[in-house]
Structures are given as C-alpha cells and as structure tokens.
Amino acid sequence: MKNISNNANNNFSLPFWSMTLEELYSKLNSSELGLTTEEATKRQKIYGKNILNKRKRNNTLLIFLSQFKSPIIIILIIAAILSLFLKDKNDAIIILIIIFISGFLGFWQEKGAKDAVEKLLEKVQINTMVIRDGKEVEISSNEIVPGDIILLNAGDIIPGDLFLISSKDLYVNEAALTGESFPTNKFPSIVGKDAVVSKRTNSLFMGTNVVSGIAKALVINTGKNTIFGNISEKLNLKPSENSFELGIKKFGYLLMEVTIGLVLFIFAVNIFLKKPIMDSFLFSLALAVGLTPQLLPAIISINLSHGARKMAENKVIVKKLSSIENFGSMNVLCSDKTGTLTEGQIRVFSYYDINNNDTNDKISLYSYLNSFYESGYNSPIDDAIKNFKSYNIENYQKLDEIPYDFRRKRLSILVKDKKEDKNILITKGALKEILSISKFVEENKKISDLNNNLIDSINKKFEEYGNNGYKVIGICYRNLNKDIIKIDRNFEDQMIFLGFILLNDPLKDNIKQNIDNLKKLGISLKIITGDNQFVARYIAKQLEIDTENIITGKELNNLSDSALIRKVNDINIFTEVEPNHKERIILALKKSGNVVGYIGDGINDATAIYNADVGISVNNAVDVAKNASDIILLEKDLKVLEGGVLEGRKTFANTMKYIFMATSANFGNMFSMAGASIFLKFLPLLPTQILLTNLFTDVSEMTIATDNIDNEFILSPKKWNIKFILKFMLTFGPLSSIFDYITFGVLLLLLHSNQYMFRTGWFIESVLSASIIVLVIRTKNIFYKSKPGKYLITAIALTALVTVILPYTKLGAIFGFTKLPINFLIIVVIIIFAYIVLAEITKKIFYKFVDY
C-alpha cells in the first residue's frame, strides 16, 4: 500500500458521492482490507485526531494566567506598576506579590481540579469497529482516519463522512444536518455531483447516527474536514447554558453593578476630601477587589471538580461539570425498566404454542436460528435465547437478514435448510407486530387460517403471561422458494404464527429500597418502557408504585401536548412507547415545572436523554446514548444514582456557602470600609492591607469544597435562587457592618488610635470576623451542632493565628501594621462573640421567614 502522504491533501474535497468505490480506493490508497496499523498512525499525523472541538489540554501557563484575567485585577496590576515609577515602590511591590500569591492559590486548586476531571473523562469514550491489518478490531472513534474501513450497527454514531461499501436495511437519523425527523434509507449507489446532502443516499455523515441496519463503509473525511465539522467551525457553536451557569452569570452582574457604583462613589468622595489621588485610586481598586468575588470561578471549578471526583468514587462520571447542579436539583427521574429496575439478565422461561404446549421444539429451534444469525442490533433477548438451548445448525445457512428496528419491532432472518432443500423466513418480535404480518397459524403441526377467534385467544394468553410478569414476544415463519436468496420488508407477509417466547427478568435486589430512598430525597420515579402494560403493571405493583394511571403509546398519540402537560405529573407508568413518545413525556414534565432526569442506554433513548435536564446513560450504552448524556454511570443501578445525586447536592450546597460568605462578611467589611473612608481623615486601610485581608479570607473559603453538609440540606432538591441570595446579602451584610462600626468606635473613642493602630486593629477584627463567621453562615442550625470539615476548621484556625501574630512581626511592619495592646485583642474577642450570637439570632429569624 502506498503512503497517502505522497499524494493527498488534508481534505478530500472532491464530490465523493458521485465517484465509484474503485476510484475512492485509488484516491485514498486504501482497499477492502482497510489500513495497516502503521499506515493509520502515519495518516493520523497528517489529519490529526478525529474530533471537532479539540478539548483543550490543561495548559499550565494558561490556567495560571487566567487567574489574573479579571479587568479589575489587570487595572490594579497596571496601577501598581505605575506607582513603582511615580510614588511608593514598596507598596506597589507588596500589591503585586499579594495578587501573585492569591492567583497562585487559585491556580494550584484549579489545576488539580481540572487534571482530575481530565482523568475521569478518559474513562468514557466512543468506540468504532474498524478493519485494521485485515482484522476487525474496536478502536476509539478519535483514532479513525481517511481510508479506514469501518463496520456500523444500530446505535452507532457515524464517526466521519463515509462512502457506503455495503449495507442492509440501513436507516440513518440525519436530523442534525437536514432537519428531517424521519430516518433516511441508505444504500450503495452513485448519485450526481450536485445532489444535496439529503439525496446522497450512498453517503453517511458525521453528526448522524444509525437507527437500524448494518453497513460497511469507507472513511473519506474526518474531524473538521467533514460537512458537520465545517458547519460547526463556521458557526463556532457553543453548548447552551444551563440554569446553574445562567444563575452564576446573573449573580456576577449583580455584584459587578454594586461594585462599580460603590467604587466610583468612594473614589469621588476621597478626591473631594483632597486625599492623595494615587492612594485614593489604589484604595478604590483594592476595595473593588474586596467586593468582587474574583475567586468565584475558581471556587465553582474546585467545588464541581471535587464533586465530580467524589461522584466517580460512586461510579458516576460527569461529562459536563455544570450538570452537577441539575443533578442535585432533579425531582423527577424517568427510567426504563430493563437493567435499571430489573437485573438486566433476561432469561427464557419457556416456549409455548397457542395451546400452551411447551414441548414444541420447532419454536425453540426457529428462535435459536433467528437469534444465532442476527448481526445487527445486539439484543439481550437474542443472548437469552442462545443461552437457553443450543442446536447443531450445520444443516442451516444464513442467506439474508432484515435487521430489527424500532418501527417494525421485529427481526427477520432468511435461512437455507440444506437437509430439506428449502428456504425459510423466520421472524420474531413484538407480539402485536408478529400478528399483523401473520395470516396462518401452526397448531399440532397443522396449518390453518389465523381467524379472529384465534387472535382473541392469543391476546388473552399474552395478557395472562404479562400479568404474571413475563415479557412475551412472538415468532412466525414462512417457507420461500429456494431461488429466493435476498429479502426485503415486503416478504414479511403471509406468515405462519408459530408461538410465544416467554422471558423473565427478575427485579434487582434492594431495588424497592433504592426507590424509597430516592423518594425520601424528593425524587419521584416514572417508568417509561416499550414493554406492554401488563408487564409494566406487574413490575410497578411489586415496587408499590401507583398503577391507577397508566398510559400507553397509542393513548399518547391521541393526547395534545397541552393535555399531556396537564396530566403528566399524575402518571407514573408509560408503556408501549416509541422514541418520539419519550421525548414528548420529558418535555411535558419540564414544562410542568419539574427538573427531569432520564436514564437509558438504547438508540430509542437518545432524544429523551438529550432533552432531559439531566441526561443519564451507562458506560456500555450505545454510542448515540452516551454522546447525548451529561452523566454516565459505570453501573446501571439506582443505588449508584442515589449516591451521585447526594454528591451533586453536596457540591451545590458548598458552592452556595461561598456565595453566602461573599455576600455577608466580605460585603459587610467592604461597605464598612467605604463608609469609614468618608469620615476619616486617612484611608481606613491601605490598598496593600485590603488585598491582604482579601487573601487571608480566601484561604478558608478555598477549603469549602471539602466541608461537611447538613443532612437536611440535601434531603430535597435545590435550585439556584438569586432572590434568596439578594435577601441574604441585604440581611447579613449590614449585620457585619454593625460590628465593624463598633470596632471603629472602640479604636477611635476608647483607645484613641492613630492611623496605624486603627488600620491594624480593624485588619485583625475584619479578618477574624470574616473567617470565623463562616462557621455560622455555613449551616441553618446552631453552629456548634453542625460539624465543619477538618480542612475548613484548620484553615480558619491558621488564618486567625497568623492574623493575630502578623502585626508583631517585621513582616507586619512592612505592611504598615503596628503592635496593639493586649486589651484590644480581648475587646476583639468580645466583639466577635457578640457578632456570632447576634448572627445566630438573625439567622434563626431569617430562615423562619425566608426558605431556600
């Protein structure tokens, strides 16, 4: 094989859909044997990884520099550099050092957090079956290169722009490119150069997925060179923001408006009072740093990544960090039945003919042949049939297949019986669909017409089996002329009904307890299944789920969207549903005010997963389901989900704690400083001292991700509530300021402090009160009844110790602090004690009238 690098560009721009396969093999230097591993490695160096939006690796320098991207920080750095040349070099250097230390702390935490998330995401990847070195192997879709030969089945995501080599009943969802909601039939052919995307029936495109059928295809373009890649590159598409991200943005705008207004006012007042311009400017900027929660992005990143790591310990992988908030806010979980509520180990219970005879070996044999030769969608039902009883089928030969799809709900296999020299079409699937194509019935080896009486009898048996918890599928067959070796859907007609296949899938151990635990967490379970209503009702009764209101897919078709929105909260079981039904149910639940999670792993679950507030899949799900999800479970188990929900709520709770801190003690201190600067003849704190105050309070706040959570906070779903935060700020911010002004009075009226003593005294009180009050704010309970995390309490203790000692050191003198009399420290302790007591009283009254 020639090396493609000799004659290929990075983009195959020719209209490949109008070319022959031989021409494409020649252009791409490929063949029906695919590529060698060595050649594929060379091509990847030319084309790069097969990805659209390259996930940026954690560039250490960029993460560090991002800590200083705040406009206020940049202005402060510039002002400090200017002051190096204009005024006080020592102060300017100290400001730059403090900013650097603060940035380094944020960098250290955020780098560790992002590295941890990067490792978690490596556990989840989409794979593709490819021919390499003449063998079928499964590799990451990222490793696909032009010239590869790949094999596709139902549920696969198409990993590039492809040219079909062969296919069988291939239907592809191209809605992402064409907007067409119905699957498109694809087959090998040659179409004109000017054919639009929707008419290129011989081509498959990245951004689409296989709905049903099987195919072999040649990879033409990958990554950004695909049609989908070109579109996304031009539009530079970004995922839509969820409620958590929107809440953060609104909160940021609120704080920024307050900050800008206050800073401009203070700067103007200080200039009016004829204080030094440079000092006033640096003071105003430093005040802005204190007011602005510049740590908010880092704290959120740290909290979410810490939560993601804890969730990973519970076998829950978070693909999108911001989805953790929605995970914690979820109050409705929609789930399929198989593998989530049940063990997922489907077993054949028995085979029956219409006379309840379980000794008819023909049903068993034909079921085995159908399942053994199935090559499309890998169904656990086929595995169950093959494991129940095996046969020597050397006298049979597979001729053709019509793969299973979710519209027909059946699978047909054409086999040649070499012993009897005849061809047999064997079809199995949903009983209703099998009956719809059957005209005859085999009874005691005799074939007769399938009349209405027999159909009624079959349906009664179906209901009886379902009420006993068995999943029932039907099987039928048809003898064809031996010269017929290819079949299509038109052959699924005039069939002979053979009998029933009964399967059971027992409930998981402790599943009822898991559902009860979710209910205690404020999460109601709704079952959405393609199974019949009888099986669904049987399962629901065992789980003590209300079965009074059950709705079928057929009934859903007769309901308008507005009617469904009104009824959806009262319905717990949706049966016999199709993929579009699932999407309608999810959207109706969301419009009726719920935060909805959906867990699924099949092709028919993808749109529901995508449209849910929290799309949940499992690691062994089909590609399209994994790709649509926000959360991936390493085990399909509600117990795992329960642990993930709790971790999600803990993460959200700790993020809110930082918000509460930023809107109480920090804001209170800054408001106090702004007021003090008006009536004092000197600046209440120097710019370097403000930044140092901010740095010290940041130390304890950075440990909040590891803090313990009160159980009552995580027992119910929580949402971002900007009104609550505003009320909290307007209550606890002024409360903090009251004790700041008490401190001012003590310093000025009792101790008759000069500017150095005043700044030192207030620095100590400000840092101590802001750090210690965290213990009060972090819980709705009395602070000593809620145990803080060990890292948080350690950080608070160390911050308090360093704050008290600093003024008595040479470093303190550099910052402009001076030694204080011991009696002042005693007064500070009294003030902080009074602050804690009043904060507790205020908190009790606040939560009595304001509920989060």
Side-chain angles (χ1 to χ4, degrees):
M1 180 182 291
K2 294 182 290 182
N3 190 313
I4 194 170
S5 58
N6 294 331
N7 66 345
N9 297 318
N10 282 20
N11 181 12
F12 192 99
S13 57
L14 297 175
F16 63 87
W17 52 89
S18 65
M19 302 172 69
T20 65
L21 180 61
E22 289 70 25
E23 287 176 316
L24 292 171
Y25 277 148
S26 176
K27 292 283 185 184
L28 291 167
N29 293 328
S30 185
S31 73
E32 61 185 9
L33 298 176
L35 304 176
T36 63
T37 301
E38 180 183 2
E39 176 63 18
T41 302
K42 292 177 181 177
R43 294 189 185 202
Q44 193 162 98
K45 292 178 181 177
I46 300 171
Y47 296 98
K49 291 278 188 179
N50 180 31
I51 49 180
L52 289 181
N53 299 312
K54 188 174 181 181
R55 197 168 74 225
K56 294 179 181 178
R57 305 299 294 182
N58 290 330
N59 185 297
T60 302
L61 179 61
L62 289 179
I63 294 175
F64 179 72
L65 293 176
S66 71
Q67 308 302 315
F68 310 99
K69 66 183 180 182
S70 163
I72 293 175
I73 294 290
I74 294 171
I75 292 171
L76 191 58
I77 291 172
I78 293 171
I81 293 172
L82 285 175
S83 69
L84 284 172
F85 302 98
L86 300 176
K87 194 173 180 270
D88 193 335
K89 293 184 179 180
N90 290 336
D91 275 1
I93 291 171
I94 291 172
I95 289 173
L96 293 174
I97 290 173
I98 293 173
I99 291 172
F100 176 82
I101 293 173
S102 180
F104 179 77
L105 285 174
F107 156 76
W108 177 59
Q109 292 273 14
E110 192 169 344
K111 177 71 166 62
K114 289 188 174 181
D115 286 345
V117 172
E118 195 78 36
K119 290 179 182 177
L120 292 178
L121 289 176
E122 288 174 0
K123 293 185 178 182
V124 180
Q125 61 180 355
I126 306 299
N127 293 327
T128 299
M129 190 65 71
V130 63
I131 298 177
R132 289 272 174 92
D133 303 312
K135 299 177 183 177
E136 294 181 11
V137 293
E138 191 173 55
I139 64 172
S140 169
S141 296
N142 295 346
E143 309 299 323
I144 297 293
V145 295
D148 265 324
I149 304 294
I150 66 171
L151 307 175
L152 297 166
N153 290 303
D156 288 347
I157 287 178
I158 293 168
D161 287 351
L162 318 175
F163 184 85
L164 275 175
I165 299 171
S166 63
S167 68
K168 179 63 181 175
D169 291 293
L170 183 66
Y171 283 81
V172 175
N173 175 11
E174 292 189 320
L177 286 178
T178 66
E180 175 57 56
S181 57
F182 294 103
T184 304
N185 185 209
K186 297 284 188 173
F187 47 87
S189 60
I190 297 177
V191 297
K193 292 181 180 180
D194 298 327
V196 296
V197 172
S198 61
K199 301 297 182 183
R200 297 173 194 172
T201 52
N202 61 356
S203 306
L204 307 176
F205 302 100
M206 177 177 273
T208 67
N209 65 275
V210 180
V211 175
S212 64
I214 54 178
K216 179 189 287 188
L218 172 67
V219 179
I220 307 297
N221 284 319
T222 57
K224 293 181 180 179
N225 294 325
T226 62
I227 291 176
F228 194 73
N230 287 330
I231 293 171
S232 64
E233 186 79 1
K234 289 174 183 177
L235 297 179
N236 194 22
L237 295 176
K238 293 182 180 180
S240 59
E241 293 176 312
N242 62 26
S243 62
F244 182 70
E245 292 166 323
L246 289 172
I248 292 292
K249 182 180 286 187
K250 288 178 182 178
F251 177 65
Y253 286 149
L254 171 68
L255 297 189
M256 190 60 69
E257 288 170 5
V258 174
T259 299
I260 292 172
L262 189 59
V263 167
L264 290 176
F265 174 73
I266 296 304
F267 180 67
V269 168
N270 278 279
I271 294 300
F272 178 77
L273 296 174
K274 298 182 179 180
K275 295 178 182 178
I277 292 178
M278 184 55 70
D279 280 352
S280 297
F281 180 60
L282 289 175
F283 172 78
S284 298
L285 287 176
L287 187 61
V289 172
L291 282 168
T292 306
Q294 73 272 16
L295 267 186
L296 184 59
I299 290 291
I300 290 171
S301 177
I302 293 162
N303 276 334
L304 293 180
S305 57
H306 178 80
R309 278 182 285 181
K310 294 294 290 183
M311 289 167 75
E313 292 173 9
N314 287 321
K315 301 183 179 179
V316 178
I317 303 298
V318 181
K319 283 176 60 184
K320 184 180 179 183
L321 284 182
S322 58
S323 67
I324 290 177
E325 187 273 342
N326 276 345
F327 203 30
S329 302
M330 180 175 68
N331 69 303
V332 172
L333 174 65
C334 298
S335 170
D336 59 359
K337 177 177 64 65
T338 304
T340 308
L341 307 179
T342 64
E343 289 181 0
Q345 298 295 322
I346 297 176
R347 303 176 183 89
V348 172
F349 173 74
S350 187
Y351 298 96
Y352 289 112
D353 62 18
I354 64 170
N355 294 317
N356 277 355
N357 178 11
D358 63 355
T359 60
N360 188 339
D361 198 53
K362 187 174 183 178
I363 304 174
S364 176
L365 170 63
Y366 278 24
S367 299
Y368 183 84
L369 287 169
N370 180 281
S371 296
F372 183 85
Y373 286 122
E374 184 271 333
S375 61
Y377 180 65
N378 185 25
S379 167
I381 292 175
D382 292 310
D383 293 335
I385 290 170
K386 288 183 286 187
N387 292 333
F388 182 72
K389 185 178 181 180
S390 60
Y391 290 86
N392 181 354
I393 57 173
E394 61 182 18
N395 289 324
Y396 295 91
Q397 176 189 348
K398 177 182 177 181
L399 299 176
D400 202 5
E401 174 180 4
I402 307 175
Y404 181 88
D405 68 67
F406 291 96
R407 286 189 169 186
R408 290 166 45 253
K409 296 183 179 179
R410 55 183 182 259
L411 163 70
S412 293
I413 301 288
L414 178 64
V415 296
K416 180 180 181 62
D417 185 338
K418 292 184 283 187
K419 187 176 181 181
E420 297 191 15
D421 194 26
K422 64 179 181 180
N423 294 352
I424 312 166
L425 175 62
I426 304 170
T427 304
K428 75 173 190 302
L431 184 67
K432 180 181 176 182
E433 302 303 323
I434 294 299
L435 288 177
S436 71
I437 61 173
S438 296
K439 189 175 182 181
F440 308 99
V441 62
E442 183 171 312
E443 188 176 3
N444 298 323
K445 297 185 179 180
K446 294 180 180 179
I447 297 174
S448 58
D449 288 339
L450 184 61
N451 57 44
N452 289 335
N453 289 335
L454 286 174
I455 291 175
D456 289 342
S457 174
I458 289 170
N459 284 326
K460 285 179 182 178
K461 288 183 173 62
F462 172 66
E463 183 175 341
E464 178 186 339
Y465 297 144
N467 285 333
N468 286 305
Y470 295 111
K471 180 181 178 67
V472 183
I473 59 177
I475 184 164
C476 60
Y477 75 99
R478 177 185 178 187
N479 293 320
L480 298 176
N481 294 331
K482 60 182 180 181
D483 58 336
I484 297 176
I485 58 174
K486 292 289 183 182
I487 54 173
D488 57 33
R489 300 182 187 198
N490 293 323
F491 283 89
E492 293 178 332
D493 190 26
Q494 305 288 312
M495 306 290 284
I496 302 167
F497 183 78
L498 194 54
F500 309 93
I501 306 170
L502 269 63
L503 305 118
N504 64 350
D505 184 11
L507 289 173
K508 285 184 175 179
D509 293 337
N510 302 320
I511 185 64
K512 186 179 180 305
Q513 182 63 51
N514 294 339
I515 292 173
D516 289 342
N517 290 344
L518 287 175
K519 191 179 294 184
K520 290 175 183 176
L521 292 174
I523 301 172
S524 60
L525 178 72
K526 294 187 183 293
I527 300 173
I528 303 179
T529 177
D531 268 352
N532 65 78
Q533 57 180 305
F534 310 111
V535 175
R537 182 178 277 110
Y538 176 83
I539 294 292
K541 284 181 178 178
Q542 286 186 299
L543 297 174
E544 296 182 7
I545 295 174
D546 180 25
T547 60
E548 184 177 346
N549 294 318
I550 293 181
I551 193 168
T552 66
K554 185 177 180 180
E555 291 167 335
L556 277 172
N557 289 333
N558 297 324
L559 272 183
S560 67
D561 288 341
S562 58
L564 180 58
I565 291 170
R566 289 194 299 270
K567 295 184 65 172
V568 71
N569 285 322
D570 299 322
I571 301 169
N572 292 323
I573 304 169
F574 302 83
T575 69
E576 301 171 28
V577 297
E578 297 175 4
N580 64 304
H581 292 145
K582 296 182 179 184
E583 182 180 353
R584 281 190 68 202
I585 294 165
I586 297 301
L587 293 175
L589 284 166
K590 288 171 67 175
K591 288 177 181 177
S592 61
N594 299 288
V595 178
V596 186
Y598 184 91
I599 177 172
D601 59 5
I603 313 162
N604 55 334
D605 295 314
T607 55
I609 291 171
Y610 180 79
N611 283 285
D613 292 301
V614 187
I616 308 165
S617 189
V618 289
N619 204 25
N620 59 352
V622 297
D623 292 348
V624 67
K626 280 200 291 186
N627 197 56
S629 62
D630 304 306
I631 307 280
I632 291 184
L633 309 183
L634 298 183
E635 286 184 10
K636 193 175 183 182
D637 192 329
L638 290 188
K639 180 65 177 176
V640 171
L641 192 66
E642 178 191 335
V645 168
L646 287 173
E647 287 301 331
R649 290 185 183 176
K650 289 177 182 177
T651 301
F652 181 63
N654 280 335
T655 302
M656 287 299 102
K657 286 179 188 177
Y658 173 75
I659 300 295
F660 296 157
M661 293 174 199
T663 54
S664 54
N666 286 6
F667 256 79
N669 285 342
M670 293 306 114
F671 283 132
S672 303
M673 195 180 307
S677 67
I678 296 174
F679 65 79
L680 291 176
K681 294 180 180 180
F682 53 86
L683 292 175
L685 283 179
L686 296 174
T688 54
Q689 294 167 346
I690 295 175
L691 294 175
L692 190 64
T693 302
N694 206 45
L695 176 64
F696 276 23
T697 54
D698 284 350
V699 170
S700 58
E701 290 169 357
M702 276 191 168
T703 62
I704 203 68
T706 61
D707 191 24
N708 299 326
I709 308 295
D710 295 337
N711 284 333
E712 56 263 37
F713 191 89
I714 58 176
L715 287 179
S716 61
K718 296 288 188 297
K719 296 181 183 180
W720 184 275
N721 190 336
I722 198 75
K723 290 182 179 178
F724 177 89
I725 294 169
L726 187 58
K727 290 176 183 177
F728 196 95
M729 179 177 70
L730 294 176
T731 301
F732 289 90
L735 178 68
S736 173
S737 294
I738 290 171
F739 289 91
D740 287 338
Y741 285 111
I742 291 173
T743 304
F744 296 164
V746 170
L747 288 167
L748 295 173
L749 302 177
L750 293 182
L751 300 179
H752 305 289
S753 302
N754 58 27
Q755 59 182 336
Y756 303 106
M757 288 183 64
F758 182 92
R759 289 167 180 162
T760 306
W762 191 34
F763 167 77
I764 292 174
E765 185 273 339
S766 179
V767 174
L768 291 182
S769 63
S771 299
I772 295 173
I773 204 64
V774 169
L775 300 175
V776 175
I777 291 172
R778 59 173 291 277
T779 176
K780 287 175 67 174
N781 299 316
I782 298 175
F783 77 93
Y784 57 79
K785 289 186 177 181
S786 177
K787 183 180 179 182
K790 61 180 180 180
Y791 295 111
L792 177 61
I793 198 69
T794 301
I796 291 173
L798 288 175
T799 300
L801 182 63
V802 172
T803 300
V804 172
I805 293 175
L806 182 64
Y808 300 92
T809 65
K810 291 182 179 179
L811 182 60
I814 294 175
F815 278 96
F817 296 131
T818 187
K819 296 177 182 178
L820 293 174
I822 298 300
N823 61 340
F824 173 74
L825 296 179
I826 296 172
I827 293 172
V828 167
V829 171
I830 295 171
I831 290 173
I832 292 174
F833 178 77
Y835 182 22
I836 291 172
V837 171
L838 189 56
E840 282 290 348
I841 295 171
T842 304
K843 183 173 69 175
K844 187 174 182 179
I845 297 170
F846 177 81
Y847 281 113
K848 185 177 181 180
F849 294 100
V850 183
D851 188 20
Y852 193 86

